[in-house]
Amino acid sequence: MKFTEKMWLIFKYSFKDMIRAKWIIVYLLFYLLLGFILLFLNNDLSSSVITIMNIIIILTPLIGTLFGVMFYYNSREFTELLIAQPIRRSRIFMGQYLGVSLSLSLSLVIGLGLPFLIFGLANSAEIFNFIMLIFIGMALTFSFTGLSMWISLRNSNRIKGFGYSVLLWLFFAVIYDGIFLSLLLIFENYPIDQFSLLMSMLNPIDLSRILVLIKLDISALMGYTGAVFQTFFGSNWGIVISGIMLLLWMTTPAYMMVRSSKRRDF
Amino acid sequence: MVAIQEISKKYRKLEVLKDISLEFNEPGIIGILGPNGSGKTTLLKTILGMVLPDNGTIRVNGIDISKDYNYRNEIAYLPQIATFPENLSVKELLAIIRDLRAVDSKYMELVSLFGLEQFLSEKLGNLSGGTRQKVNVVLSFMCKSEILILDEPTVGLDPVSTVKLKELIKSHRDMGKLILLTTHIMGIVDELADEIVYLLEGRMVYRGFVTDLKLSTQQDSLERAIVNEIHGKDVVDLQI
């Protein structure tokens, strides 16, 4: 299978280039520090998991966005050289995308895994919640790295590419919830359970947040809506559907990126 | 070797290539000339499959390049700007190209020709612009291919390296390769090129052998001969 070999090659170099960069080490150190400080102060795994969840559902998309954009524009000339080599474009961009998102995921896994293991994660019931937290962090990293690389590919002007990517992050992290809440308020006299379920599926950050909350059994805090969400997301169907949605959020941006790379001029 | 048929390319409203047809069947050095923005780089990039033409077809060794990317095994490319992943070493960069395609087993001779041995373990981000350009030259000349595409090859090189590069280009012509190069330095064209293709606003306005051009225009300097042939006499007589 020669073609996958070439993609592996691109992946290896992108991964190496990433893990040797200063910023990714800062990112790793941030998680290490965060994990140790939280566990030291709390000395309680489950409440630390909740605090960390609140941080990573905002932070992983932002970091994925920034690194995706930076990697794309910094390596643009080298990517052009690669495009002139006997290799399919899709392999180049898939390889680079996997290199960026996996190196970021590695920082997340090591940076949070190490402190939690030291504080006795392996013998705790929290291990499944923790694994889910890491999985969601990775899903968001993949999703937003893909989205930002796709946006960068479509904008040769790096200021525009950077701006649109950060705006998209801001939209999903903040603006979306604002719109969502206003709609809930405006239509509070109508049955909008189905609608709010749908709305939260269409935002990967919301979807991740709800998945974690339900799993952590703190949905009771969310009142009536929480009960609706609990019946949906807590059921087998709900888990399957939301799992599929998250998987779609992981893969679709990468697919779109590869697709638009085929028609672009370099 | 390369057959370009009626290709054109538009970037939004800007027509960069207009109905260009060209065929190169013999080995030799072809200088692609023209003012800034005349479409030289775009033309080369269409042959490499980097820019996709709106119309027309390009065949390399008889194969339509839009159908199969493997034809690029036969084309080595030296891009205008040399920027590489900052955190990789020169050695690792050479390894990437070596793993991607067939490479001359004696490529380390090229590395020493340009005095790059001392930089092999150095990170590319720490190299000076000139050294990076030398790496760029090695990357393209180490490929085993019939066709070489060089976009402004001497930019950023010191005089000694420029001389070495010119000799290298000549030796690759003697190996029977087709070499397409763009440059603004007429001295290089005069010294190296067998034939020139002149582009103006995306159209091919002239193609001919360098010796014929000098004869027909009765000019010793290639620069004057070109200006004479393409832009008419008035430009040459222009007084500043």
Side-chain angles (χ1 to χ4, degrees):
Chain A
M1 295 282 269
K2 219 172 169 193
F3 56 88
T4 38
E5 236 170 67
K6 285 184 176 175
M7 188 172 97
W8 173 242
L9 184 78
I10 303 293
F11 164 72
K12 265 195 317 195
Y13 105 77
S14 314
F15 189 78
K16 264 192 216 163
D17 189 33
M18 281 290 288
I19 56 171
R20 288 182 195 162
K22 249 179 274 153
W23 288 109
I24 198 138
I25 296 168
V26 172
Y27 185 51
L28 170 72
L29 289 177
F30 170 79
Y31 279 133
L32 277 173
L33 209 67
L34 177 77
F36 277 119
I37 290 178
L38 271 180
L39 287 166
F40 181 72
L41 293 177
N42 267 335
N43 217 356
D44 172 33
L45 287 174
S46 84
S47 62
S48 300
V49 166
I50 298 171
T51 314
I52 284 177
M53 176 212 71
N54 276 317
I55 296 172
I56 69 169
I57 53 168
I58 299 296
L59 192 64
T60 47
L62 178 64
I63 296 292
T65 301
L66 295 180
F67 276 87
V69 173
M70 281 191 330
F71 185 91
Y72 178 82
Y73 288 112
N74 279 341
S75 57
R76 190 154 52 171
E77 282 89 13
F78 186 60
T79 306
E80 285 185 16
L81 181 65
L82 288 176
I83 286 168
Q85 307 302 322
I87 172 172
R88 243 183 247 275
R89 283 183 182 189
S90 54
R91 314 278 177 233
I92 300 174
F93 288 98
M94 259 328 258
Q96 290 183 339
Y97 159 74
L98 291 175
V100 175
S101 37
L102 278 171
S103 56
L104 290 174
S105 301
L106 193 72
S107 289
L108 178 76
V109 172
I110 296 176
L112 288 181
L114 215 60
F116 273 80
L117 279 176
I118 290 173
F119 277 80
L121 175 73
N123 303 318
S124 145
E126 286 297 317
I127 186 151
F128 292 107
N129 288 338
F130 182 77
I131 288 173
M132 189 166 96
L133 187 79
I134 295 287
F135 171 73
I136 282 174
M138 284 175 70
L140 288 173
T141 303
F142 273 86
S143 180
F144 280 82
T145 306
L147 283 171
S148 66
M149 286 178 90
W150 178 33
I151 292 174
S152 307
L153 246 170
R154 294 182 63 100
N155 290 282
S156 43
N157 180 333
R158 71 170 71 200
I159 307 288
K160 270 191 190 165
F162 200 85
Y164 292 150
S165 302
V166 172
L167 262 179
L168 189 70
W169 167 79
L170 196 70
F171 174 75
F172 281 130
V174 183
I175 301 170
Y176 191 93
D177 285 352
I179 298 174
F180 193 1
L181 274 177
S182 329
L183 287 177
L184 289 182
L185 277 179
I186 296 168
F187 297 104
E188 63 181 339
N189 296 326
Y190 298 87
I192 45 174
D193 308 346
Q194 305 289 331
F195 167 74
S196 40
L197 275 178
L198 183 75
M199 278 288 276
S200 48
M201 290 274 192
L202 296 178
N203 178 347
I205 295 181
D206 273 0
L207 184 64
S208 308
R209 185 185 287 129
I210 288 164
L211 274 173
V212 178
L213 289 180
I214 300 290
K215 276 290 136 206
L216 292 179
D217 266 341
I218 44 176
S219 48
L221 295 176
M222 296 193 289
Y224 171 68
T225 328
V228 174
F229 277 58
Q230 174 77 71
T231 30
F232 177 73
F233 287 103
S235 72
N236 286 338
W237 262 114
I239 290 171
V240 169
I241 291 174
S242 47
I244 289 174
M245 277 311 285
L246 201 58
L247 218 62
L248 278 178
W249 271 112
M250 267 176 91
T251 48
T252 317
Y255 170 75
M256 296 306 285
M257 173 197 66
V258 166
R259 222 176 70 132
S260 57
S261 79
K262 287 180 187 158
R263 298 189 214 128
R264 203 182 169 289
D265 295 313
F266 287 90
Chain B
M1 288 177 160
V2 178
I4 300 169
Q5 276 169 356
E6 293 169 358
I7 58 163
S8 39
K9 178 71 191 172
K10 245 186 196 174
Y11 288 125
R12 304 230 165 115
K13 278 184 183 163
L14 186 72
E15 270 189 284
V16 265
L17 296 176
K18 294 172 195 162
D19 217 13
I20 290 189
S21 296
L22 270 171
E23 251 183 74
F24 306 105
N25 294 318
E26 300 290 320
I29 301 176
I30 321 280
I32 314 273
L33 307 178
N36 299 329
S38 55
K40 305 184 292 287
T41 298
T42 310
L43 177 66
L44 294 183
K45 283 183 167 180
T46 54
I47 302 173
L48 287 157
M50 299 167 72
V51 170
L52 312 168
D54 300 330
N55 292 306
T57 52
I58 300 176
R59 287 170 198 280
V60 171
N61 293 334
I63 298 164
D64 184 344
I65 66 164
S66 61
K67 303 256 153 60
D68 185 4
Y69 66 95
N70 280 311
Y71 81 94
R72 292 202 282 264
N73 274 311
E74 286 311 327
I75 307 182
Y77 173 48
L78 176 70
Q80 217 172 79
I81 312 164
T83 327
F84 305 114
E86 288 183 5
N87 300 306
L88 296 189
S89 67
V90 176
K91 213 191 294 172
E92 286 169 320
L93 181 66
L94 294 175
I96 294 175
I97 300 299
R98 204 180 51 208
D99 291 344
L100 273 176
R101 60 190 298 166
V103 160
D104 191 341
S105 55
K106 287 185 272 179
Y107 73 90
M108 282 309 283
E109 287 176 12
L110 279 175
V111 170
S112 43
L113 176 68
F114 288 97
L116 291 171
E117 299 109 320
Q118 48 174 326
F119 298 112
L120 278 177
S121 310
E122 196 73 44
K123 277 189 182 174
L124 287 150
N126 299 336
L127 301 184
S128 73
T131 313
R132 275 209 302 273
Q133 180 64 11
K134 288 180 196 168
V135 174
N136 204 8
V137 169
V138 172
L139 280 184
S140 50
F141 279 87
M142 71 191 241
C143 300
K144 253 189 198 162
S145 62
E146 285 179 11
I147 303 162
L148 258 168
I149 291 185
L150 313 174
D151 199 355
E152 301 274 358
T154 57
V155 169
L157 287 181
D158 58 68
V160 179
S161 306
T162 305
V163 172
K164 285 177 184 169
L165 175 63
K166 283 185 200 163
E167 292 307 314
L168 198 60
I169 295 175
K170 281 183 201 161
S171 75
H172 278 253
R173 169 186 44 197
D174 297 340
M175 290 177 202
K177 292 190 181 182
L178 169 68
I179 300 167
L180 305 177
L181 74 92
T182 72
T183 180
H184 285 295
I185 307 165
M186 283 304 143
I188 292 177
V189 184
D190 211 354
E191 191 181 336
L192 297 176
D194 303 308
E195 217 178 317
I196 59 169
V197 168
Y198 199 92
L199 300 181
L200 201 62
E201 287 168 5
R203 280 184 211 284
M204 188 183 76
V205 290
Y206 179 83
R207 179 181 181 179
F209 288 99
V210 173
T211 41
D212 295 350
L213 180 68
K214 280 184 181 170
L215 268 178
S216 73
T217 55
Q218 300 280 312
Q219 297 279 352
D220 282 337
S221 121
L222 181 66
E223 204 155 22
R224 280 178 175 272
I226 289 171
V227 172
N228 218 335
E229 176 73 33
I230 290 141
H231 297 280
K233 249 200 160 92
D234 358 334
V235 186
V236 185
D237 297 334
L238 203 86
Q239 295 290 321
I240 302 166

